[in-house]
Amino acid sequence: MIQNYIENANFEDTGFAYTLSLISGKHKMVILYCLMEFETVRFNELKRYLKTISDKTLSTNLKKLEADKLIIRTEYPQIPPKVEYTLSERGKTLMTVLDQLCAWGEENRLTE
Amino acid sequence: MIQNYIENANFEDTGFAYTLSLISGKHKMVILYCLMEFETVRFNELKRYLKTISDKTLSTNLKKLEADKLIIRTEYPQIPPKVEYTLSERGKTLMTVLDQLCAWGEENRLTE
DNA sequence: CCGTATCCGCAACGATACTG
DNA sequence: CAGTATCGTTGCGGATACGG
């Protein structure tokens, strides 16, 4: 599986590098977890959960996640505006895999 | 599992964030994969596999991986120096989890 | 051979102000 | 409410030179 890629030394094209590129960055995982937990979340609501994120950074991250089809953005044309974000089916399948990474981390944290 | 952390909104302390911190960066995964494939690898050998990495960056990454107990550094006191790197048992268990991320990425790559 | 030291560029992130 | 615009900061990674 992984070994195939060593030969050509083309790691950018591995499924692994691809998966990581989807969730790289400081906040993407937290956003996904919030959507998994609360299912439907609005922009400012997310901002409160993340506590320290700026408008700009949150906006950028949401756009990337949407472009990667991990989340779904639903806009209600009204005043004041209302936008809801949810996990896509694709996003949900990714979360099941990430949960295993989480489990490994909890079981293998170094005792310092 | 994951949901517990949402309450306190302390994502830095999730097993997931911890696991990701171990493999964050541009090269760590590639290094681990090389060690998985070739088992015992020397410094300059690694450098050739990674192709574009600089001495400094490779050195920094190896130190982090070693500090996190994912790899083992063995130094042979001779002239010229010889240093070998291998996966630790802990590193090997991590690789099995990462292989699943790899599989997800291959099955869920977007057709563009 | 196996690094360290130094300098530097760039992209991500943050703070603040502002808009439909 | 849900962003955009602008500016400033910061940290990772790269290039090069040098050392034990």
Side-chain angles (χ1 to χ4, degrees), chain B residues 14-67:
Chain B
T14 62
F16 183 82
Y18 171 71
T19 306
L20 271 197
S21 76
L22 299 184
I23 58 174
S24 66
K26 191 172 170 181
H27 304 289
K28 290 214 195 85
M29 283 307 315
V30 190
I31 295 171
L32 291 176
Y33 279 151
C34 283
L35 293 185
M36 186 177 71
E37 173 73 2
F38 304 110
E39 298 194 358
T40 300
V41 187
R42 299 179 63 171
F43 187 89
N44 275 343
E45 211 176 333
L46 264 176
K47 216 182 137 181
R48 280 190 292 275
Y49 290 137
L50 304 194
K51 303 201 166 176
T52 61
I53 198 170
S54 69
D55 285 346
K56 173 194 154 192
T57 304
L58 178 55
S59 177
T60 307
N61 277 284
L62 286 171
K63 279 183 179 168
K64 283 184 194 157
L65 289 170
E66 191 194 3

Side-chain angles (χ1 to χ4, degrees), chain A residues 2 5 11-23 101, chain B residues 20 23 25 28-30 32-33 94-95 97-106 109:
Chain A
I2 287 168
Y5 300 105
F11 293 96
E12 308 307 316
D13 288 342
T14 62
F16 183 81
Y18 172 71
T19 305
L20 269 197
S21 75
L22 299 185
I23 57 174
L101 262 200
Chain B
L20 271 197
I23 58 174
K28 290 214 195 85
M29 283 307 315
V30 190
L32 291 176
Y33 279 151
L94 177 59
M95 294 309 286
V97 181
L98 297 186
D99 213 15
Q100 299 176 21
L101 261 202
C102 185
W104 186 95
E106 295 186 356
R109 201 178 282 252

Side-chain angles (χ1 to χ4, degrees), chain A residues 2-107:
Chain A
I2 287 168
Q3 288 81 344
N4 305 341
Y5 300 105
I6 307 274
E7 305 300 328
N8 8 345
N10 201 355
F11 293 96
E12 308 307 316
D13 288 342
T14 62
F16 183 81
Y18 172 71
T19 305
L20 269 197
S21 75
L22 299 185
I23 57 174
S24 66
K26 190 173 173 182
H27 303 290
K28 289 216 197 83
M29 283 307 313
V30 191
I31 295 172
L32 291 175
Y33 279 151
C34 283
L35 294 184
M36 185 177 70
E37 174 71 1
F38 303 108
E39 300 195 354
T40 300
V41 187
R42 300 179 63 172
F43 188 89
N44 276 342
E45 211 176 336
L46 264 175
K47 214 182 138 181
R48 280 190 293 274
Y49 289 136
L50 304 194
K51 301 202 167 176
T52 61
I53 198 170
S54 69
D55 286 343
K56 174 190 154 192
T57 305
L58 179 54
S59 178
T60 306
N61 277 283
L62 287 172
K63 280 181 179 169
K64 281 184 194 155
L65 289 171
E66 191 195 0
D68 289 331
K69 311 277 190 208
L70 293 176
I71 68 175
I72 297 171
R73 179 183 185 276
T74 310
E75 184 172 354
Y76 298 88
Q78 61 185 44
I79 305 292
K82 175 178 174 182
V83 178
E84 290 181 343
Y85 294 92
T86 62
L87 277 183
S88 67
E89 284 309 313
R90 174 178 156 86
K92 288 176 186 172
T93 68
L94 177 58
M95 294 311 287
T96 65
V97 181
L98 297 185
D99 213 17
Q100 299 176 21
L101 262 200
C102 185
W104 185 95
E106 296 186 356
E107 290 164 16

